[in-house]
Amino acid sequence: MSRGKKSVLVAVVGAAHGIQGGVRVKFFTTNPLNLSMYGPLCDKNGKSYQIKLLRQQKTLIIVHFEGINDRTQAEELNGTKLFIDCIYLPNDLEDDEFYQDDLIGFTAFDSNGREMGFVSAFFNFGAGDIVEITIKGGTNQLIPFTKIAIPHIDMTVKRIVINPIASGLESH
């Protein structure tokens, strides 16, 4: 995969697990056990990683990659972000489904129809998805990516509607 093509972050490698090259992996897919069906995984430099074994152990997802055979090699992968090329993602989404990456650049409006800015990034620090809105004038605001804070997303005109109170941008 060439990083020049549009790609999506699907996982981040965590700590080594065991002595035979296994790693803990944090996935950003609906079903992490299906990750190997999406096509090749690559890091930001374009290095490809082939999944040899993927299993769930209690609340963890453990992955063994081809060519990573011991704990030392596994420890070197800690923090590696893994991407897939968008062409491998399913296109048969429901009406209310979308890929977050597709929302980058959408215009953000408040519930009264006033333009606020645009969607500039998404984050997840462990407590849920957060959307970054670049407000007109250049400041950035982080708001929860929830149905209450963002009650409407229109894919056809590339806009989102933000509830200023529920998003924490305004108080009562």
Side-chain angles (χ1 to χ4, degrees), residues 100 121-132 141-145:
Q100 288 179 347
F122 281 89
F123 302 100
N124 187 316
F125 302 111
D129 293 325
I130 297 173
V131 61
E132 179 183 67
Q141 293 289 326
L142 300 177
I143 63 172
F145 190 57

Side-chain angles (χ1 to χ4, degrees), residues 108-114 116 151 159-165 170:
F109 292 85
D110 69 13
S111 49
N112 294 320
R114 290 185 300 256
M116 298 175 66
R159 71 184 273 170
I160 67 168
V161 175
I162 297 173
N163 178 325
I165 294 172
E170 292 179 10

Side-chain angles (χ1 to χ4, degrees), residues 30-170:
T30 303
N31 185 350
L33 298 177
N34 290 339
L35 188 69
S36 58
M37 297 181 348
Y38 290 134
L41 299 170
C42 295
D43 65 17
K44 66 180 180 179
N45 298 317
K47 181 177 178 185
S48 184
Y49 294 86
Q50 181 68 38
I51 295 174
K52 180 170 49 175
L53 173 69
L54 181 133
R55 64 185 167 86
Q56 186 164 1
Q57 183 175 331
K58 296 184 182 178
T59 60
L60 301 174
I61 301 296
I62 308 300
V63 176
H64 290 262
F65 293 110
E66 294 287 341
I68 307 298
N69 300 314
D70 61 41
R71 186 172 184 89
T72 302
Q73 291 174 312
E75 287 171 344
E76 291 172 3
L77 294 179
N78 194 357
T80 300
K81 294 180 179 180
L82 299 173
F83 300 85
I84 61 169
D85 194 308
C86 287
I87 63 170
Y88 296 109
L89 294 173
N91 265 341
D92 57 344
L93 300 176
E94 300 293 324
D95 288 338
D96 62 344
E97 290 183 315
F98 46 83
Y99 295 110
Q100 288 179 347
D101 194 54
D102 291 339
L103 302 181
I104 304 287
F106 273 34
T107 307
F109 292 85
D110 69 13
S111 49
N112 294 320
R114 290 185 300 256
E115 186 176 335
M116 298 175 66
F118 66 92
V119 177
S120 50
F122 281 89
F123 302 100
N124 187 316
F125 302 111
D129 293 325
I130 297 173
V131 61
E132 179 183 67
I133 305 295
T134 299
I135 304 295
K136 285 178 156 182
T139 62
N140 293 338
Q141 293 289 326
L142 300 177
I143 63 172
F145 190 57
T146 64
K147 188 73 170 165
I148 292 173
I150 302 175
H152 185 71
I153 297 171
D154 191 328
M155 298 298 289
T156 57
V157 294
K158 300 185 180 207
R159 71 184 273 170
I160 67 168
V161 175
I162 297 173
N163 178 325
I165 294 172
S167 67
L169 296 177
E170 292 179 10

